[in-house]
Amino acid sequence: MKKSTKITLDLSGLKKGGILKQRQKDYFILRTRIPGGYLKAEKLPKFMQLAKRYGRGYIHLSTRQCIEIPWIHIRNLEKVKQELKKAGILTGACGPRSRNIVACPGSSVCRFGLSDTEKLALKLDKKFFGIDVPKKFKIGLTGCLNSCAKPQENDLGFLTQAQPQVNLDLCTGCTLCAKVCKEICSRGRREPAIIMGENKRPVYKKELCFFEGDCIRVCPVDAWSIKQLGYSVFLGGKVGRFPMFGYRIAEFVGEEEVFKITRKAIEVYNKIANKGERLGEAIERLGIEEVKRQVL
Amino acid sequence: MSQIKPDQILDLKGVPCPLNFVKTKLKLEEMQTGEILEVILDDGDPIKNVSGSIKEEGHQILEAEQIGSHWKLIVKKNQES
């Protein structure tokens, strides 16, 4: 009888390289990673080539902005990994590790973006991708309160906010700022932070503001501008079977603090959570005040 | 109340985004630097979006005034960037 060469692979180890076992025997999905969803177009032909030669001619765009190539046969896994490495394409992660960082394009091209989340995602990825954790760790960066990158659904989310200020010498009294503020605040059943005062000039109340910045965007004569820019930090968000929004634990943090908080959040997660437990679940167990104290 | 007399007037009542911006941009391209264009826009998205877009093109908005359910923008054409 012919002895067949069995390919023995450590499946749990494979997950680190972004290789997921498919439903079909001997086939695997190769997950690459694209921090912040930013990919140089010159790399696209490589994905096509690999999908055609080793996959089934199609790719899947994951919900964390990565390209996945399904239908890779087990005997081709090493080959494909080598080709990806040669092409400078990063591999993704699954299993108990920190995952691809999702981000909106931010101020690089988006009209609403208040910060360069795209660039920040790349920087954070270099330091914090693929770290072992109890279950998984997801980071999301978003450039404005449209929250396209869903910071509140990630274990750690950073949301850019802008505190406005007005130069009354430039103001022409068009009332657009107060109008826009009232419209938006009424959707959240909040009191507007800007009301028209005497001489058709706006009056700003910081304590009522939630720093979303449409007053600055809408002002036709640039009387409104940004006084302070920073990130709101959300901790413990998740979806899955028992979704929960992240808790807001800090406001207006600068970029340096973003790195510090990310490092601490992963450290604390590793310290307090049981194996298989999400950060949000550990927070429910210990209480947010305690976890916040440890992270900040 | 604006005392500035416009060189041209563009009535964009009922014109949706981004067509209103495109028409404004094209109109400004026909004009000389320094000339004044008056644009009438609908309330809502048009006034919010078009003023921002005009500024991004490099022009200056001198005034914005609400008149009933519309808005009047006074735009000064700046040098093409």
Side-chain angles (χ1 to χ4, degrees):
Chain A
M1 195 156 31
K2 191 174 177 198
K3 215 179 184 180
S4 59
T5 337
K6 282 218 145 142
I7 306 166
T8 10
L9 287 159
D10 171 24
L11 285 176
S12 61
L14 280 178
K15 274 182 172 179
K16 185 161 199 170
I19 296 169
L20 296 94
K21 185 171 165 3
Q22 263 181 229
R23 161 186 286 260
Q24 293 84 2
K25 181 176 179 299
D26 289 343
Y27 284 100
F28 291 81
I29 301 162
L30 202 126
R31 174 181 289 169
T32 66
R33 90 172 183 276
I34 303 173
Y38 174 86
L39 181 73
K40 290 244 163 106
E42 70 202 9
K43 300 210 166 136
L44 287 172
K46 192 59 172 182
F47 286 99
M48 180 174 81
Q49 190 195 88
L50 290 171
K52 277 184 158 175
R53 180 187 277 159
Y54 298 106
R56 289 207 176 164
Y58 72 96
I59 59 103
H60 175 81
L61 283 178
S62 85
T63 55
R64 289 195 77 77
Q65 302 179 309
C66 303
I67 293 177
E68 294 177 348
I69 309 174
W71 293 104
I72 312 278
H73 194 275
I74 195 171
R75 64 169 179 270
N76 292 322
L77 279 177
E78 269 312 307
K79 222 176 303 179
V80 174
K81 278 187 79 180
Q82 292 306 324
E83 294 219 29
L84 283 173
K85 193 165 178 200
K86 231 171 50 188
I89 293 170
L90 305 168
T91 46
C94 30
R97 285 148 204 108
S98 51
R99 305 298 184 85
N100 188 48
I101 297 172
V102 298
C104 65
S107 58
S108 71
V109 295
C110 178
R111 300 175 63 208
F112 305 102
L114 295 166
S115 69
D116 196 342
T117 41
E118 197 172 74
K119 188 146 56 131
L120 184 58
L122 292 164
K123 287 201 236 174
L124 283 172
D125 174 82
K126 287 194 166 62
K127 284 204 143 79
F128 300 113
F129 169 77
I131 297 175
D132 289 335
V133 292
K135 178 80 179 189
K136 60 179 76 160
F137 195 78
K138 298 178 170 180
I139 303 172
L141 312 175
T142 214
C144 79
L145 269 85
N146 282 325
S147 301
C148 299
K150 305 174 173 38
Q152 303 93 332
E153 284 179 15
N154 281 267
D155 295 279
L156 183 59
F158 294 99
L159 177 146
T160 319
Q161 47 187 175
Q163 185 192 339
Q165 64 188 354
V166 63
N167 181 345
L168 292 175
D169 292 333
L170 295 176
C171 174
T172 61
C174 76
T175 77
L176 265 175
C177 54
K179 198 169 170 342
V180 147
C181 187
K182 181 167 173 213
E183 247 172 55
I184 289 170
C185 285
S186 68
R187 283 168 52 200
R189 286 173 295 280
R190 294 176 69 107
E191 280 300 306
I194 301 172
I195 50 170
M196 292 313 287
E198 288 158 28
N199 302 326
K200 283 185 93 184
R201 291 295 178 268
V203 176
Y204 172 69
K205 282 202 180 142
K206 184 185 171 189
E207 63 273 18
L208 296 174
C209 185
F210 67 107
F211 314 115
E212 59 92 50
D214 265 1
C215 49
I216 301 166
R217 289 186 190 98
V218 89
C219 179
V221 297
D222 293 335
W224 285 92
S225 62
I226 297 175
K227 180 175 181 172
Q228 190 193 3
L229 206 61
Y231 295 97
S232 241
V233 184
F234 292 88
L235 193 72
K238 66 185 285 295
V239 193
R241 285 160 183 71
F242 306 105
M244 55 179 90
F245 276 158
Y247 292 89
R248 190 196 298 258
I249 62 166
E251 289 206 313
F252 283 108
V253 309
E255 189 166 304
E256 218 179 277
E257 257 197 279
V258 165
F259 283 82
K260 222 169 72 172
I261 290 173
T262 305
R263 189 177 45 83
K264 290 286 328 196
I266 295 175
E267 262 173 38
V268 171
Y269 178 35
N270 270 313
K271 191 171 99 176
I272 66 174
N274 302 320
K275 186 163 174 228
E277 198 179 36
R278 289 295 296 274
L279 177 57
E281 289 163 344
I283 289 173
E284 282 211 322
R285 221 178 3 96
L286 299 167
I288 182 59
E289 288 309 314
E290 174 53 29
V291 181
K292 181 177 163 180
R293 192 190 59 80
Q294 293 194 34
V295 170
L296 290 175
Chain B
M1 296 309 130
S2 102
Q3 306 305 320
I4 305 167
K5 189 169 189 300
D7 296 291
Q8 300 232 30
I9 299 177
L10 188 59
D11 186 340
L12 297 174
K13 289 206 260 314
V15 179
C17 307
L19 206 50
N20 43 25
F21 162 65
V22 172
K23 292 191 169 194
T24 308
K25 179 181 155 78
L26 292 173
K27 186 56 137 180
L28 283 164
E29 276 173 14
E30 290 168 18
M31 296 166 65
Q32 309 276 10
T33 303
E35 282 194 314
I36 307 291
L37 172 69
E38 179 181 305
V39 188
I40 319 274
L41 294 162
D42 286 347
D43 193 13
D45 286 337
I47 183 61
K48 285 190 247 173
N49 293 339
V50 175
S51 11
S53 304
I54 291 174
K55 286 192 292 173
E56 277 162 25
E57 294 279 306
H59 306 298
Q60 194 186 349
I61 298 182
L62 301 176
E63 272 186 42
E65 192 189 332
Q66 183 164 18
I67 302 171
S69 61
H70 300 106
W71 286 78
K72 182 171 79 172
L73 275 185
I74 306 287
V75 183
K76 179 171 161 208
K77 176 176 171 159
N78 283 340
Q79 190 75 41
E80 239 102 56
S81 45

